[in-house]
Amino acid sequence: MEADMAKELFTDNPLFKELNIYGARLIMDNDSSTIALLRKVCTHDIELWADKNHTVKSLSNALHRLSVAAGLVDYFTENFSGVIAECKGQPDILKERLQAIVPHAFGDHTLCTFHEDKENYEYKRLPGKKPLDNKDLKTALEEIFSRFINDVKKIAPAASTQANESFNHLVASKCPKSKHFSGSESFSFRVAAAVCQKNLGHEWINSVFERLTFSPVKAGIKYRIVRELKKIRKNLYASSRVGKLRKKALKIARSSKSSGQKKKEGITYRSDVGLSGVLEIPLNIPINLPRVTNAIPHPVLPSHNPDGSQNYKLIYVDTETTGLNPKKDQIIQIAAYDGNTSYSAHIVPTVPIALMASLKTGLTIKSSSLFYRGKKLASVSRQQAVDGFLNYLETFKSNPSRPHIILVGHNVIRFDAERIKPLLEQFNSYDKFVNLVHGYADTLNIFKKKLPERAKDKKNSWTQEALIQEYLPNINIALLHDALEDIKALKSLVDILDVSYEEIVSDTNITFKRRALDMRNVTNMATVG
């Protein structure tokens, strides 16, 4: 495909014909098929310049295939790249410098021209700050470098296809391959837009508006200015020392990850992997896999007493938070209620309360204190809130008939559970919580199953506030969005809708409990084994 495109570009290019010119030079990687085809079909000579980045990468790949240590790969590739940059456009000098790289690493400085005291030269980047002494390695390295020395005329221009790669990426952003825009009428316009952005920047569209005597939207002008400034900052950062060090660090991290996967999985892909003997395995020979005899048994979660009676304690739980983002926002109130006793604690957050959350809950922060509709509230630390919540749950563990707790809440799976877990983990209390709690029961799902006729109308809201207004009109809605009042109202809603104990237990989500038990089981078996 690439060779055919190059042929069309050089021989059937309408712009070349219109201007009566021809392409005399090609910058690319070391793809021999493309240049061979061009020299066959073109009536004039074509000079090939090797792309510097591809050339350096070729050296790096050759060193990796030689199983050279990572530190030595960096040493040789950086010296190689630096020499090409310093000797740009000077093939004779470049050849001399390339010939000196390997001998220099092995203590032979006869070809070196920079160091006066060659006898006492100190190697800063080689192991032990001493020259290498492995003769086999030296022979292999000289063979690898000789390939590049023989092609020094191609390498000397230090040419780059980075501008082309950048433009290809820009066109791809306007014409994604998955959408096949090349077959649409808009294709030429999309490519033209990419050309304008490449030449004029993000503000090119403003010129189009002016040409058409249209007035561009102010928001659009601002957006394009911001994009252009962002691009300039990105380019400045990439060319700075900090940016280059960052790029190198990311490259090392990717290389380390890739090498780790190769050690774990072996070679999963290589251009010639199909010719390396892996396909010589006979397909008609059965493979005998070892039988697993000591499989880890899945933990059995207790659900009934020996006499067959159910043994879960239902406790209603709710939280109020500073916002809706579980990664950034914090719990400001946590409450629990079993129908008789209750627990509630307010926590002064370390992040601001979002405006919508403050309007709903009536909670605000002033002078590092929590206020409810202007009245100062008694608050506790996050540690005290966690301890108090767990101590409240532990009071039900002493009852032998109901040793396992189910936390009941409205939309508890998607909202409260995701916020309670990080709070407990912050103080290493999650394991204790798992030992007390069997799982969560979400009344949002339970009510939808209990009220199938209501569920048919998609316009109906399933928020706790909407359900209370419909089924418990006597409850003051203004008191809602206090965690304790919410769960008391939820308990009344469960009672009025006649939701049975069995319906709640059967809808309990125990995913988090099972996962925690699995990990403990594996750990215990590993310890015993």
Side-chain angles (χ1 to χ4, degrees), residues 197 200-204 222-235:
Q197 184 171 323
L200 305 176
H202 289 89
E203 299 180 63
W204 67 270
K222 181 180 179 181
Y223 169 76
R224 287 185 283 276
I225 292 174
V226 170
R227 288 291 299 274
E228 189 64 24
L229 292 175
K230 184 177 180 181
K231 176 186 174 183
I232 294 172
R233 286 196 297 267
K234 183 179 179 180
N235 291 340

Side-chain angles (χ1 to χ4, degrees), residues 89-118:
Q90 306 176 70
D92 294 334
I93 298 177
L94 176 61
K95 184 175 182 179
E96 294 177 2
R97 299 277 179 83
L98 291 178
Q99 289 173 337
I101 290 178
V102 175
H104 172 79
F106 286 84
D108 183 0
H109 303 293
T110 54
L111 298 177
C112 297
T113 58
F114 291 101
H115 307 288
E116 295 180 359
D117 189 6
K118 299 178 181 180

Side-chain angles (χ1 to χ4, degrees), residues 44-109:
H44 58 276
D45 292 335
I46 297 178
E47 184 181 7
L48 175 64
W49 285 2
D51 175 69
K52 178 187 172 184
N53 292 332
H54 281 94
T55 303
V56 175
K57 189 174 181 180
S58 297
L59 174 64
S60 176
N61 291 338
L63 295 175
H64 280 296
R65 286 195 291 269
L66 196 61
S67 299
V68 176
L72 293 180
V73 172
D74 292 339
Y75 172 81
F76 285 111
T77 53
E78 289 182 14
N79 283 342
F80 182 72
S81 177
V83 166
I84 294 175
E86 291 175 2
C87 303
K88 182 177 181 179
Q90 306 176 70
D92 294 334
I93 298 177
L94 176 61
K95 184 175 182 179
E96 294 177 2
R97 299 277 179 83
L98 291 178
Q99 289 173 337
I101 290 178
V102 175
H104 172 79
F106 286 84
D108 183 0
H109 303 293

